[in-house]
Amino acid sequence: MRMEFVFRGTCRTAVVFFLKIPSVALRTREERTVMRQNNKDTGEDATCSQSLQSLFSEWDNPVFARYPEVAVDVSSGQAESLAVKIHNILYPYRFTKEMIHSMQVLQQVDNKFIACLMSTKAEENGRAGGNLLVLVDQHAAHERVRLEQLIIDSYEKQQPQESGRKKLLSSTVSPPLELTVTEEQRRLLWCYHKNLEDLGLEFIFPDTSDSLVLVGKVPLCFVEREANELRRGRSTVTKNIVEEFIREQIELLQTTGGIQGTLPLTVQKVLASQACHGAVKFNDGLSLQECYRLIEALSCCQLPFQCAHGRPSMLPLADIDHLEEEKQIKPNLAKLHKMAQAWRLFGKAEECDTRQSLQVSTSPSEPK
């Protein structure tokens, strides 16, 4: 809205000229009447809603109890049991290898899991007491046990060489596998072919071609995998696995310069597949003695808390100590009924006091 002030004389009387008239002033009488009616209806709806809300708050439902507006008052003692549950979510149990030695087998569950008690703390006398109920995946547990045993069986039993590396068991391939590589890859394999013998690979470099290498020996687990596939009526897989293995080693040689690390990934994948096929499956019934032996073998593993493919082998179910602390207190219905009646009487008395104070404040003062 734009305004112009004109001062005349010494009294500085301001005369205001509106150069732009507000749109509200241009509304017709009918529009103003409709707006007033809408405002009136809105006020009546709000008043009706408030009266219904007050009526509902005073109504005692004879069938269903009304839930409190504040479910848990964190400032009172109601949050003590809730704090335990929240603590378990924010601070989950961290398993250690020491805990698994304290596991007590209970029984098999649904032919899929083994229920055990695990100790998360040591007693004062040094003995471990089981307080955490866990479920062990019988397939994942047996798969882990088989994988670590297969890894041990894949190496030669003799002492490590001067380099300190163990040598993988190898098997002769007849006729040798023919692989096509680049000249750079061929030179790299030629320079490090002695180191690759520790991984069960033996190369032959014919003079007839600069892009051809022959593989005369491969890791023994590759041959066992081939035999299992042929037994199931499937096609041969040895050449594909060897090609993947050589590509992996070439990439490592290019990046590390011949430094050998842990068990090669390709070998680990083949062993993990073998461990999975021969492990206990779901719906396989186990006796209590077989459950004992499986848990005992799992406790001797290097990585007991995951299967050959990285899935968890066990999960926590409940902490018995927390369950014992959470005692169910039966409510005193008679006492609650008396408290509800007292609260209603208190509310009515407070309402009467409010009305009386309003009447006193609105009444005209008496003449002196």
Side-chain angles (χ1 to χ4, degrees), residues 72-93:
V72 177
D73 185 5
V74 296
S75 62
S76 64
Q78 299 180 11
E80 293 179 357
S81 59
L82 183 65
V84 176
K85 299 182 179 66
I86 294 177
H87 181 274
N88 294 341
I89 296 173
L90 298 179
Y91 303 96
Y93 294 99

Side-chain angles (χ1 to χ4, degrees), residues 93-111:
Y93 294 99
R94 293 171 175 84
F95 294 131
T96 62
K97 293 182 65 175
E98 289 74 16
M99 293 180 184
I100 199 171
H101 292 289
S102 66
M103 292 182 66
Q104 304 172 16
V105 177
L106 299 179
Q107 64 179 17
Q108 189 185 28
V109 179
D110 197 25
N111 289 342

Side-chain angles (χ1 to χ4, degrees), residues 19 86 110 139 146 151 194 203 239 252 279 355 357:
L19 300 183
I86 294 177
D110 197 25
H139 174 72
R146 281 180 49 80
I151 292 175
K194 288 295 183 182
F203 293 98
K239 187 174 182 179
L252 288 175
R355 290 177 180 176
S357 61

Side-chain angles (χ1 to χ4, degrees), residues 66-72:
R66 185 185 299 111
Y67 291 100
E69 296 181 359
V70 180
V72 177

Side-chain angles (χ1 to χ4, degrees), residues 4 8 10 17 62 98 151 199 210 224-225 231 278-279 291 298 320 341 350 361-362:
E4 180 179 355
R8 295 179 181 177
T10 56
F17 296 93
E98 289 74 16
I151 292 175
L199 300 179
D210 295 335
E224 294 175 350
R225 171 70 180 277
R231 193 181 301 113
C291 294
L298 184 64
I320 297 179
Q341 288 182 341
E350 187 178 16
S361 59
T362 54

Side-chain angles (χ1 to χ4, degrees), residues 166-367:
K166 293 182 178 181
K167 187 175 181 179
L168 284 173
L169 294 174
S170 61
S171 178
T172 304
V173 180
S174 181
L177 297 175
E178 296 184 0
L179 301 180
T180 302
V181 295
T182 64
E183 295 184 8
E184 180 184 358
Q185 292 174 346
R186 191 175 190 270
R187 287 194 298 268
L188 197 62
L189 294 174
W190 167 259
C191 294
Y192 293 99
H193 72 278
K194 288 295 183 182
N195 295 341
L196 294 176
E197 289 181 359
D198 295 339
L199 300 179
L201 290 174
E202 183 180 88
F203 293 98
I204 302 172
F205 302 92
D207 299 333
T208 57
S209 175
D210 295 335
S211 60
L212 181 67
V213 294
L214 302 178
V215 183
K217 288 185 177 181
V218 297
L220 180 60
C221 60
F222 293 178
V223 179
E224 294 175 350
R225 171 70 180 277
E226 176 76 9
N228 293 333
E229 294 297 323
L230 295 178
R231 193 181 301 113
R232 295 185 177 93
R234 302 175 183 174
S235 59
T236 180
V237 295
T238 302
K239 187 174 182 179
N240 295 334
I241 296 176
V242 172
E243 289 178 348
E244 180 183 356
F245 188 30
I246 292 177
R247 285 195 301 269
E248 176 191 354
Q249 295 307 312
I250 289 176
E251 292 178 359
L252 288 175
L253 292 174
Q254 291 174 343
T255 55
T256 64
I259 299 176
Q260 297 293 336
T262 57
L263 185 70
L265 180 60
T266 306
V267 177
Q268 186 174 351
K269 289 168 60 177
V270 172
L271 295 179
S273 178
Q274 293 182 4
C276 179
H277 288 306
V280 174
K281 302 295 189 296
F282 274 7
N283 297 323
D284 289 346
L286 300 177
S287 64
L288 190 61
Q289 190 65 28
E290 290 174 336
C291 294
Y292 279 125
R293 288 198 296 266
L294 179 57
I295 297 301
E296 183 179 0
L298 184 64
S299 64
C300 299
C301 293
Q302 296 294 325
L303 297 174
F305 301 108
Q306 63 183 34
C307 74
H309 301 92
R311 295 186 296 271
S313 60
M314 64 183 66
L315 57 91
L317 195 61
D319 194 324
I320 297 179
D321 293 343
H322 292 172
L323 293 178
E324 292 177 353
E325 292 176 0
E326 296 179 3
K327 297 180 180 179
Q328 297 293 334
I329 302 176
K330 295 183 179 180
N332 190 338
L333 299 181
K335 185 177 181 181
L336 290 176
H337 182 66
K338 292 180 180 180
M339 291 176 63
Q341 288 182 341
W343 180 254
R344 283 195 294 268
L345 293 175
F346 174 76
K348 292 179 180 179
E350 187 178 16
E351 184 179 356
C352 293
D353 294 340
T354 304
R355 290 177 180 176
Q356 292 178 0
S357 61
L358 288 176
Q359 291 177 358
V360 171
S361 59
T362 54
S363 60
S365 58
E366 297 180 357

